[in-house]
Amino acid sequence: MQVIVVYDVPADRTHVYRKLLRRRLEHLQYSVFYGQLTPGQVEAMKNEIESELEDDDSIVVFETTNQAAFDFTTFGAAEAPGSRFT
Amino acid sequence: MTKPNHHIFADGELSRNESTLRIDTLDGETKYLPVESVDSLYLHGQIDFNTRALGLLNDHGVPVHVFGWKDYYKGSYLPKRGQVSGNTVVEQVRAYDDKRRLRIAHQVIEASIHNMRANIRYYSSRKGDFSTTLDKLSELKERVTSTETIDNLRAVEGNARKQYYRCFDTILREPFALERREYNPPSNEANALVSFLNGMVYTTCVSAIRKTALDPTVGFVHEPGERRFTLSLDIADIFKPILADRLVFRLVNRQQITVDDFESDLDGCLLTEDGRLTVLQEYEETLDRTIEHPRLNRKVSFKTLVQTDVYSLKKHLLTGEPYQATERWW
Protein backbone atom coordinates (compact mmCIF):
# COMPACT_ATOMS: atom_id res chain seq x y z
CA MET A 1 0.00 0.00 0.00
CA GLN A 2 0.98 3.64 -0.45
CA VAL A 3 2.19 5.20 2.75
CA ILE A 4 3.09 8.75 3.73
CA VAL A 5 4.45 9.45 7.18
CA VAL A 6 5.02 12.91 8.60
CA TYR A 7 6.37 13.81 12.00
CA ASP A 8 6.78 16.83 14.20
CA VAL A 9 8.95 16.01 17.18
CA PRO A 10 11.45 17.88 19.38
CA ALA A 11 14.75 18.48 17.54
CA ASP A 12 16.75 16.11 19.73
CA ARG A 13 14.40 13.24 18.93
CA THR A 14 14.09 13.53 15.15
CA HIS A 15 16.88 11.01 14.63
CA VAL A 16 14.85 8.33 16.40
CA TYR A 17 12.05 8.43 13.84
CA ARG A 18 14.27 9.30 10.91
CA LYS A 19 16.24 6.13 11.47
CA LEU A 20 13.15 3.99 11.90
CA LEU A 21 11.42 5.37 8.80
CA ARG A 22 14.38 5.51 6.45
CA ARG A 23 14.75 1.75 6.60
CA ARG A 24 11.37 1.33 4.93
CA LEU A 25 10.48 4.57 3.19
CA GLU A 26 11.98 7.16 0.92
CA HIS A 27 13.07 10.29 2.78
CA LEU A 28 11.32 12.94 0.69
CA GLN A 29 11.75 16.02 2.82
CA TYR A 30 12.94 16.81 6.35
CA SER A 31 10.00 15.21 8.10
CA VAL A 32 8.16 13.57 5.22
CA PHE A 33 8.53 9.94 4.12
CA TYR A 34 6.87 8.08 1.29
CA GLY A 35 6.85 4.54 -0.03
CA GLN A 36 4.98 1.40 -0.93
CA LEU A 37 4.85 -1.12 1.87
CA THR A 38 3.19 -4.43 2.57
CA PRO A 39 0.51 -4.47 5.28
CA GLY A 40 2.99 -6.39 7.46
CA GLN A 41 5.63 -3.72 7.03
CA VAL A 42 3.11 -1.00 7.96
CA GLU A 43 2.10 -2.92 11.07
CA ALA A 44 5.72 -3.42 12.14
CA MET A 45 6.46 0.26 11.50
CA LYS A 46 3.50 1.40 13.60
CA ASN A 47 4.54 -0.86 16.44
CA GLU A 48 8.05 0.52 16.35
CA ILE A 49 6.78 4.10 16.31
CA GLU A 50 4.58 3.35 19.28
CA SER A 51 7.42 1.92 21.29
CA GLU A 52 9.51 5.07 20.75
CA LEU A 53 6.72 7.51 21.54
CA GLU A 54 7.21 10.29 24.11
CA ASP A 55 4.86 13.06 25.25
CA ASP A 56 5.75 15.82 22.78
CA ASP A 57 6.04 13.59 19.70
CA SER A 58 3.51 13.88 16.92
CA ILE A 59 3.44 11.44 14.03
CA VAL A 60 0.82 10.90 11.34
CA VAL A 61 0.70 7.83 9.07
CA PHE A 62 -1.37 8.14 5.87
CA GLU A 63 -2.08 4.98 3.97
CA THR A 64 -4.15 3.81 1.04
CA THR A 65 -4.46 0.47 -0.69
CA ASN A 66 -5.99 2.04 -3.79
CA GLN A 67 -3.03 2.73 -6.02
CA ALA A 68 -5.26 4.01 -8.83
CA ALA A 69 -6.58 6.80 -6.61
CA PHE A 70 -3.10 7.93 -5.67
CA ASP A 71 -1.36 10.63 -7.63
CA PHE A 72 1.17 13.36 -7.01
CA THR A 73 2.56 16.46 -8.65
CA THR A 74 6.01 17.80 -7.97
CA PHE A 75 7.10 21.44 -8.07
CA GLY A 76 10.45 23.10 -7.88
CA ALA A 77 13.51 21.06 -7.03
CA ALA A 78 11.53 18.03 -5.84
CA GLU A 79 12.43 14.69 -7.38
CA ALA A 80 9.60 12.37 -8.33
CA PRO A 81 9.04 9.97 -5.40
CA GLY A 82 9.52 6.27 -6.00
CA SER A 83 12.39 6.52 -8.49
CA ARG A 84 14.26 3.24 -8.92
CA PHE A 85 17.34 4.84 -10.37
CA THR A 86 20.25 6.69 -8.81
CA MET B 1 3.01 -6.80 -4.13
CA THR B 2 6.65 -7.40 -4.79
CA LYS B 3 9.27 -4.94 -3.72
CA PRO B 4 10.86 -2.82 -6.44
CA ASN B 5 14.46 -3.20 -7.58
CA HIS B 6 16.88 -0.31 -7.39
CA HIS B 7 19.50 0.52 -10.01
CA ILE B 8 22.54 2.64 -9.25
CA PHE B 9 24.03 4.22 -12.35
CA ALA B 10 26.00 6.90 -10.55
CA ASP B 11 29.59 6.42 -9.44
CA GLY B 12 30.22 6.67 -5.73
CA GLU B 13 30.08 4.90 -2.43
CA LEU B 14 27.53 2.54 -0.96
CA SER B 15 27.61 2.30 2.81
CA ARG B 16 25.61 1.39 5.85
CA ASN B 17 24.23 4.31 7.82
CA GLU B 18 21.63 4.26 10.60
CA SER B 19 20.67 0.69 9.74
CA THR B 20 19.94 1.48 6.13
CA LEU B 21 21.78 1.97 2.85
CA ARG B 22 23.40 5.25 2.00
CA ILE B 23 24.68 6.24 -1.41
CA ASP B 24 27.15 9.09 -1.75
CA THR B 25 27.60 9.86 -5.41
CA LEU B 26 30.71 11.50 -6.81
CA ASP B 27 28.49 14.44 -7.74
CA GLY B 28 28.17 15.12 -4.02
CA GLU B 29 24.64 13.86 -3.65
CA THR B 30 23.59 11.74 -0.71
CA LYS B 31 20.65 9.40 -0.92
CA TYR B 32 19.23 6.86 1.48
CA LEU B 33 17.69 3.64 0.26
CA PRO B 34 15.02 1.92 2.33
CA VAL B 35 16.77 -1.41 2.72
CA GLU B 36 13.60 -3.16 3.88
CA SER B 37 11.76 -2.10 0.73
CA VAL B 38 14.26 -3.10 -1.94
CA ASP B 39 14.05 -6.43 -3.72
CA SER B 40 17.39 -6.50 -5.55
CA LEU B 41 20.12 -3.94 -6.02
CA TYR B 42 21.76 -3.42 -9.41
CA LEU B 43 25.15 -1.70 -9.58
CA HIS B 44 25.87 -0.24 -13.01
CA GLY B 45 28.35 2.46 -12.04
CA GLN B 46 31.68 2.37 -10.26
CA ILE B 47 30.68 1.77 -6.67
CA ASP B 48 32.84 1.33 -3.58
CA PHE B 49 31.34 -0.66 -0.77
CA ASN B 50 32.56 -2.51 2.28
CA THR B 51 31.63 -5.56 4.29
CA ARG B 52 29.40 -3.54 6.61
CA ALA B 53 27.22 -2.63 3.66
CA LEU B 54 27.25 -6.23 2.43
CA GLY B 55 26.34 -7.41 5.94
CA LEU B 56 23.30 -5.15 5.97
CA LEU B 57 22.20 -6.39 2.55
CA ASN B 58 22.72 -9.88 3.84
CA ASP B 59 20.52 -9.25 6.90
CA HIS B 60 17.70 -8.11 4.67
CA GLY B 61 18.17 -10.75 2.00
CA VAL B 62 18.89 -8.26 -0.78
CA PRO B 63 20.92 -9.71 -3.67
CA VAL B 64 23.33 -7.37 -5.47
CA HIS B 65 23.87 -7.78 -9.21
CA VAL B 66 27.06 -6.18 -10.49
CA PHE B 67 27.55 -4.93 -14.02
CA GLY B 68 30.87 -3.94 -15.49
CA TRP B 69 32.05 -2.24 -18.62
CA LYS B 70 29.11 -1.33 -20.89
CA ASP B 71 26.83 -3.09 -18.46
CA TYR B 72 28.13 -6.57 -19.08
CA TYR B 73 26.86 -8.76 -16.27
CA LYS B 74 29.76 -9.49 -13.92
CA GLY B 75 28.17 -11.46 -11.15
CA SER B 76 26.03 -11.32 -8.05
CA TYR B 77 26.58 -11.02 -4.33
CA LEU B 78 23.89 -13.25 -2.93
CA PRO B 79 22.75 -12.98 0.67
CA LYS B 80 23.32 -15.86 2.99
CA ARG B 81 20.50 -18.27 2.36
CA GLY B 82 17.36 -17.29 4.21
CA GLN B 83 15.91 -20.60 3.20
CA VAL B 84 18.03 -23.55 4.11
CA SER B 85 16.62 -26.93 3.41
CA GLY B 86 18.87 -29.90 2.88
CA ASN B 87 15.80 -31.81 1.82
CA THR B 88 15.16 -29.58 -1.15
CA VAL B 89 18.73 -29.68 -2.40
CA VAL B 90 18.88 -33.45 -2.06
CA GLU B 91 15.62 -33.82 -3.99
CA GLN B 92 16.77 -31.34 -6.61
CA VAL B 93 19.94 -33.29 -7.28
CA ARG B 94 18.06 -36.61 -7.21
CA ALA B 95 15.59 -35.25 -9.73
CA TYR B 96 18.49 -34.21 -11.92
CA ASP B 97 19.75 -37.77 -11.78
CA ASP B 98 16.56 -39.71 -12.31
CA LYS B 99 13.75 -39.67 -14.84
CA ARG B 100 12.28 -36.50 -13.37
CA ARG B 101 14.95 -34.48 -15.15
CA LEU B 102 13.49 -35.19 -18.56
CA ARG B 103 9.93 -34.40 -17.42
CA ILE B 104 11.02 -31.05 -15.98
CA ALA B 105 13.03 -30.28 -19.09
CA HIS B 106 9.95 -31.09 -21.20
CA GLN B 107 7.96 -28.57 -19.19
CA VAL B 108 10.62 -25.87 -19.53
CA ILE B 109 11.03 -26.29 -23.27
CA GLU B 110 7.31 -26.57 -23.91
CA ALA B 111 6.65 -23.38 -22.00
CA SER B 112 9.53 -21.67 -23.74
CA ILE B 113 8.24 -22.61 -27.20
CA HIS B 114 4.69 -21.74 -26.17
CA ASN B 115 5.77 -18.26 -25.07
CA MET B 116 7.78 -17.70 -28.25
CA ARG B 117 4.76 -18.72 -30.28
CA ALA B 118 2.52 -16.37 -28.29
CA ASN B 119 4.73 -13.45 -29.34
CA ILE B 120 4.63 -14.45 -32.99
CA ARG B 121 0.88 -14.95 -32.82
CA TYR B 122 0.49 -11.45 -31.41
CA TYR B 123 2.34 -9.93 -34.35
CA SER B 124 0.86 -12.28 -36.93
CA SER B 125 -1.39 -10.23 -39.27
CA ARG B 126 -0.25 -7.07 -37.43
CA LYS B 127 3.18 -7.28 -39.00
CA GLY B 128 2.99 -10.00 -41.59
CA ASP B 129 1.97 -13.54 -42.29
CA PHE B 130 3.70 -15.86 -39.85
CA SER B 131 1.40 -18.86 -40.30
CA THR B 132 4.23 -21.19 -41.37
CA THR B 133 6.29 -20.25 -38.29
CA LEU B 134 3.24 -20.67 -36.05
CA ASP B 135 2.59 -24.14 -37.47
CA LYS B 136 6.22 -25.06 -37.17
CA LEU B 137 6.36 -23.92 -33.53
CA SER B 138 3.20 -25.89 -32.67
CA GLU B 139 4.70 -28.94 -34.29
CA LEU B 140 7.98 -28.53 -32.39
CA LYS B 141 6.07 -28.07 -29.12
CA GLU B 142 4.23 -31.32 -29.77
CA ARG B 143 7.46 -33.08 -30.56
CA VAL B 144 8.84 -32.20 -27.10
CA THR B 145 6.96 -34.87 -25.12
CA SER B 146 8.19 -37.67 -27.36
CA THR B 147 11.81 -36.51 -27.22
CA GLU B 148 13.61 -38.85 -24.86
CA THR B 149 17.06 -37.33 -24.39
CA ILE B 150 18.15 -33.95 -23.14
CA ASP B 151 20.47 -33.44 -26.12
CA ASN B 152 17.66 -34.00 -28.61
CA LEU B 153 15.45 -31.76 -26.52
CA ARG B 154 17.98 -28.98 -26.76
CA ALA B 155 18.06 -29.51 -30.50
CA VAL B 156 14.27 -29.10 -30.66
CA GLU B 157 14.55 -25.94 -28.61
CA GLY B 158 17.36 -24.59 -30.77
CA ASN B 159 15.30 -25.30 -33.83
CA ALA B 160 12.31 -23.45 -32.37
CA ARG B 161 14.47 -20.50 -31.42
CA LYS B 162 15.86 -20.31 -34.93
CA GLN B 163 12.34 -20.24 -36.40
CA TYR B 164 11.38 -17.65 -33.85
CA TYR B 165 14.32 -15.30 -34.39
CA ARG B 166 13.72 -15.48 -38.12
CA CYS B 167 10.49 -13.50 -37.63
CA PHE B 168 12.22 -10.70 -35.71
CA ASP B 169 13.31 -8.77 -38.78
CA THR B 170 9.74 -8.54 -40.05
CA ILE B 171 8.40 -7.48 -36.67
CA LEU B 172 11.11 -4.92 -35.91
CA ARG B 173 10.76 -1.48 -37.40
CA GLU B 174 13.54 -0.56 -39.83
CA PRO B 175 16.47 -0.07 -39.66
CA PHE B 176 16.53 -2.62 -36.82
CA ALA B 177 17.24 -6.17 -37.91
CA LEU B 178 18.54 -9.18 -36.07
CA GLU B 179 19.74 -10.98 -39.22
CA ARG B 180 20.98 -13.75 -37.01
CA ARG B 181 21.33 -14.05 -33.28
CA GLU B 182 24.88 -13.16 -32.32
CA TYR B 183 26.41 -12.26 -29.01
CA ASN B 184 29.81 -11.87 -27.33
CA PRO B 185 29.85 -9.23 -28.63
CA PRO B 186 26.45 -8.50 -30.20
CA SER B 187 26.93 -7.70 -33.88
CA ASN B 188 24.17 -5.14 -34.38
CA GLU B 189 21.61 -3.00 -32.55
CA ALA B 190 18.86 -5.61 -32.36
CA ASN B 191 21.27 -8.23 -31.03
CA ALA B 192 22.61 -5.77 -28.46
CA LEU B 193 19.11 -5.05 -27.20
CA VAL B 194 18.16 -8.73 -27.01
CA SER B 195 21.41 -9.59 -25.21
CA PHE B 196 21.06 -6.81 -22.67
CA LEU B 197 17.49 -7.73 -21.79
CA ASN B 198 18.25 -11.45 -21.67
CA GLY B 199 20.89 -10.61 -19.06
CA MET B 200 18.28 -8.74 -17.04
CA VAL B 201 15.84 -11.65 -17.20
CA TYR B 202 18.64 -13.90 -16.00
CA THR B 203 19.29 -11.71 -12.92
CA THR B 204 15.55 -11.58 -12.20
CA CYS B 205 15.57 -15.38 -12.12
CA VAL B 206 18.68 -15.48 -9.93
CA SER B 207 16.89 -13.25 -7.38
CA ALA B 208 13.73 -15.36 -7.51
CA ILE B 209 15.62 -18.64 -7.02
CA ARG B 210 17.52 -17.16 -4.09
CA LYS B 211 14.22 -16.71 -2.26
CA THR B 212 13.90 -20.49 -2.16
CA ALA B 213 16.20 -23.23 -0.93
CA LEU B 214 16.83 -24.43 -4.49
CA ASP B 215 20.40 -24.60 -5.66
CA PRO B 216 20.82 -22.22 -8.60
CA THR B 217 23.70 -24.22 -10.07
CA VAL B 218 21.75 -27.42 -10.73
CA GLY B 219 19.61 -26.92 -13.81
CA PHE B 220 17.62 -29.46 -15.76
CA VAL B 221 17.84 -28.40 -19.39
CA HIS B 222 21.23 -26.74 -19.21
CA GLU B 223 24.10 -28.95 -18.17
CA PRO B 224 25.38 -28.05 -14.67
CA GLY B 225 29.05 -27.48 -14.17
CA GLU B 226 29.36 -24.44 -16.36
CA ARG B 227 30.24 -21.15 -14.82
CA ARG B 228 26.75 -19.78 -14.76
CA PHE B 229 23.75 -20.64 -12.63
CA THR B 230 22.15 -23.24 -14.87
CA LEU B 231 18.83 -23.34 -13.04
CA SER B 232 18.53 -19.59 -13.63
CA LEU B 233 19.23 -20.19 -17.30
CA ASP B 234 16.43 -22.78 -17.42
CA ILE B 235 13.88 -20.46 -15.81
CA ALA B 236 15.12 -17.51 -17.89
CA ASP B 237 14.39 -19.45 -21.09
CA ILE B 238 10.73 -19.62 -20.10
CA PHE B 239 10.49 -15.90 -19.42
CA LYS B 240 12.69 -14.35 -22.11
CA PRO B 241 9.86 -14.14 -24.68
CA ILE B 242 7.53 -12.57 -22.09
CA LEU B 243 9.90 -10.19 -20.35
CA ALA B 244 12.60 -9.44 -22.91
CA ASP B 245 11.55 -10.06 -26.52
CA ARG B 246 8.13 -8.47 -26.30
CA LEU B 247 9.80 -5.40 -24.80
CA VAL B 248 12.39 -5.34 -27.60
CA PHE B 249 9.57 -5.16 -30.18
CA ARG B 250 7.76 -2.46 -28.27
CA LEU B 251 10.82 -0.27 -27.66
CA VAL B 252 11.89 -0.43 -31.28
CA ASN B 253 8.48 -0.16 -32.93
CA ARG B 254 7.39 2.78 -30.80
CA GLN B 255 10.79 4.34 -31.43
CA GLN B 256 11.53 4.66 -27.72
CA ILE B 257 14.90 3.27 -28.72
CA THR B 258 16.57 4.40 -31.94
CA VAL B 259 19.91 3.62 -33.56
CA ASP B 260 21.29 6.71 -31.80
CA ASP B 261 21.05 4.81 -28.52
CA PHE B 262 23.81 2.46 -29.63
CA GLU B 263 27.52 2.77 -30.19
CA SER B 264 29.88 0.52 -32.01
CA ASP B 265 32.94 -0.65 -30.20
CA LEU B 266 35.51 -3.36 -30.88
CA ASP B 267 33.48 -4.72 -33.81
CA GLY B 268 30.50 -5.12 -31.54
CA CYS B 269 27.49 -2.96 -30.97
CA LEU B 270 26.27 -1.90 -27.55
CA LEU B 271 23.68 0.32 -25.91
CA THR B 272 24.79 3.74 -24.73
CA GLU B 273 24.22 4.70 -21.10
CA ASP B 274 21.10 6.71 -22.02
CA GLY B 275 19.83 3.78 -24.01
CA ARG B 276 20.37 1.38 -21.14
CA LEU B 277 18.51 3.69 -18.78
CA THR B 278 15.50 3.86 -21.10
CA VAL B 279 15.50 0.09 -21.52
CA LEU B 280 15.78 -0.54 -17.78
CA GLN B 281 12.96 1.84 -16.93
CA GLU B 282 10.72 -0.04 -19.33
CA TYR B 283 11.96 -3.39 -18.07
CA GLU B 284 11.08 -2.43 -14.49
CA GLU B 285 7.62 -1.39 -15.65
CA THR B 286 7.22 -4.71 -17.42
CA LEU B 287 8.05 -6.53 -14.20
CA ASP B 288 5.31 -4.49 -12.47
CA ARG B 289 2.62 -5.22 -15.03
CA THR B 290 -0.14 -7.31 -13.54
CA ILE B 291 -2.52 -9.91 -14.90
CA GLU B 292 -5.34 -11.91 -13.39
CA HIS B 293 -4.03 -15.29 -12.27
CA PRO B 294 -6.55 -18.08 -12.85
CA ARG B 295 -5.35 -20.37 -10.07
CA LEU B 296 -4.43 -17.77 -7.45
CA ASN B 297 -7.62 -15.77 -8.08
CA ARG B 298 -5.87 -12.43 -7.85
CA LYS B 299 -3.79 -10.10 -9.90
CA VAL B 300 -0.10 -10.88 -9.96
CA SER B 301 2.81 -8.98 -11.43
CA PHE B 302 5.14 -10.49 -14.04
CA LYS B 303 7.82 -10.48 -11.38
CA THR B 304 5.60 -12.57 -9.12
CA LEU B 305 5.03 -14.97 -12.03
CA VAL B 306 8.76 -15.72 -12.08
CA GLN B 307 8.58 -16.36 -8.35
CA THR B 308 5.53 -18.64 -8.56
CA ASP B 309 7.20 -20.59 -11.37
CA VAL B 310 10.17 -21.28 -9.10
CA TYR B 311 7.86 -22.20 -6.20
CA SER B 312 6.03 -24.61 -8.48
CA LEU B 313 9.30 -26.30 -9.39
CA LYS B 314 10.29 -26.58 -5.75
CA LYS B 315 6.91 -28.04 -4.83
CA HIS B 316 7.23 -30.54 -7.64
CA LEU B 317 10.62 -31.67 -6.36
CA LEU B 318 9.44 -32.03 -2.79
CA THR B 319 5.91 -33.37 -3.17
CA GLY B 320 5.68 -34.67 -6.72
CA GLU B 321 2.88 -32.23 -7.53
CA PRO B 322 3.19 -31.53 -11.28
CA TYR B 323 5.52 -28.68 -12.18
CA GLN B 324 3.77 -26.09 -14.29
CA ALA B 325 6.19 -23.93 -16.19
CA THR B 326 4.61 -20.57 -16.95
CA GLU B 327 2.88 -20.51 -20.32
CA ARG B 328 1.40 -17.21 -21.40
CA TRP B 329 -2.37 -17.59 -21.01
CA TRP B 330 -3.37 -13.97 -21.45
Side-chain angles (χ1 to χ4, degrees), chain B residues 57-317:
Chain B
L57 291 161
N58 196 16
D59 292 344
H60 294 281
V62 180
V64 184
H65 304 297
V66 182
F67 294 79
W69 183 74
K70 303 287 184 205
D71 265 354
Y72 270 109
Y73 174 66
K74 284 283 175 198
S76 305
Y77 288 94
L78 297 174
K80 190 181 65 163
R81 299 182 152 264
Q83 299 282 334
V84 208
S85 155
N87 235 353
T88 309
V89 181
V90 169
E91 281 305 323
Q92 186 183 354
V93 176
R94 274 196 191 136
Y96 168 76
D97 244 358
D98 63 31
K99 61 180 193 313
R100 280 180 287 175
R101 177 180 183 187
L102 196 63
R103 297 280 96 86
I104 294 169
H106 281 163
Q107 275 290 317
V108 171
I109 304 285
E110 268 180 6
S112 172
I113 295 177
H114 175 97
N115 293 334
M116 287 191 254
R117 190 176 181 278
N119 278 357
I120 300 299
R121 205 184 54 191
Y122 177 83
Y123 283 104
S124 190
S125 79
R126 271 188 181 80
K127 284 282 176 184
D129 178 18
F130 298 126
S131 46
T132 32
T133 313
L134 288 172
D135 291 345
K136 187 83 183 147
L137 288 175
S138 304
E139 186 197 315
L140 285 165
K141 189 185 171 191
E142 270 162 36
R143 203 189 296 168
V144 168
T145 354
S146 56
T147 307
E148 291 296 336
T149 67
I150 296 287
D151 279 342
N152 289 343
L153 206 52
R154 272 200 291 255
V156 172
E157 199 241 355
N159 208 335
R161 224 162 260 280
K162 205 186 258 170
Q163 300 285 337
Y164 173 61
Y165 282 132
R166 204 169 279 164
C167 299
F168 271 46
D169 293 356
T170 319
I171 296 172
L172 291 171
R173 186 192 192 100
E174 287 189 4
F176 281 84
L178 202 59
E179 284 158 21
R180 45 196 281 246
R181 183 78 185 98
E182 285 175 320
Y183 40 90
N184 280 334
S187 49
N188 57 32
E189 289 84 0
N191 271 299
L193 199 51
V194 172
S195 289
F196 181 63
L197 277 167
N198 281 352
M200 291 309 298
V201 175
Y202 173 79
T203 59
T204 302
C205 297
V206 171
S207 289
I209 291 168
R210 198 57 177 191
K211 290 206 180 77
T212 70
L214 290 171
D215 192 316
T217 57
V218 181
F220 297 93
V221 180
H222 292 83
E223 208 57 57
E226 295 155 27
R227 283 166 303 140
R228 291 194 138 193
F229 291 141
T230 49
L231 184 58
S232 309
L233 290 171
D234 286 1
I235 306 290
D237 271 350
I238 302 170
F239 285 97
K240 276 177 201 169
I242 297 173
L243 297 175
D245 303 337
R246 194 64 168 267
L247 186 55
V248 169
F249 301 145
R250 210 172 68 223
L251 287 167
V252 168
N253 291 349
R254 292 190 184 161
Q255 291 179 297
Q256 281 170 284
I257 285 282
T258 65
V259 279
D260 295 335
D261 291 306
F262 296 85
E263 54 195 356
S264 293
D265 227 320
L266 304 170
D267 24 272
C269 182
L270 296 162
L271 277 158
T272 60
E273 183 164 335
D274 277 352
R276 293 196 297 263
L277 200 61
T278 311
V279 174
L280 282 175
Q281 266 158 352
E282 291 296 323
Y283 180 72
E284 284 292 324
E285 266 173 41
T286 307
L287 287 178
D288 280 352
R289 283 191 47 199
T290 57
I291 31 137
E292 196 68 45
H293 196 291
R295 269 173 294 133
L296 296 178
N297 272 329
R298 63 180 173 93
K299 283 195 155 189
V300 294
S301 66
F302 283 11
K303 198 176 186 181
T304 307
L305 277 186
V306 179
Q307 195 66 55
T308 51
D309 193 284
V310 177
Y311 285 151
S312 167
L313 176 62
K314 185 187 167 188
K315 198 151 192 204
H316 166 69
L317 294 172

Side-chain angles (χ1 to χ4, degrees), chain A residues 1 15 18-19 21-27 36-38 41 48 79 83-86, chain B residues 1 4-10 18-20 31-32 34-37 277 281 284 288:
Chain A
M1 59 180 83
H15 69 276
R18 188 185 63 212
K19 181 172 171 179
L21 296 170
R22 255 188 197 161
R23 273 177 19 227
R24 309 174 162 93
L25 299 167
E26 189 179 336
H27 198 169
Q36 290 195 29
L37 301 180
T38 62
Q41 277 181 306
E48 259 186 75
E79 267 181 52
S83 167
R84 297 174 185 186
F85 296 87
T86 303
Chain B
M1 188 204 89
N5 300 324
H6 196 89
H7 299 261
I8 304 178
F9 272 91
E18 292 194 334
S19 307
T20 195
K31 191 168 173 178
Y32 295 88
V35 69
E36 293 184 19
S37 305
L277 200 61
Q281 266 158 352
E284 284 292 324
D288 280 352

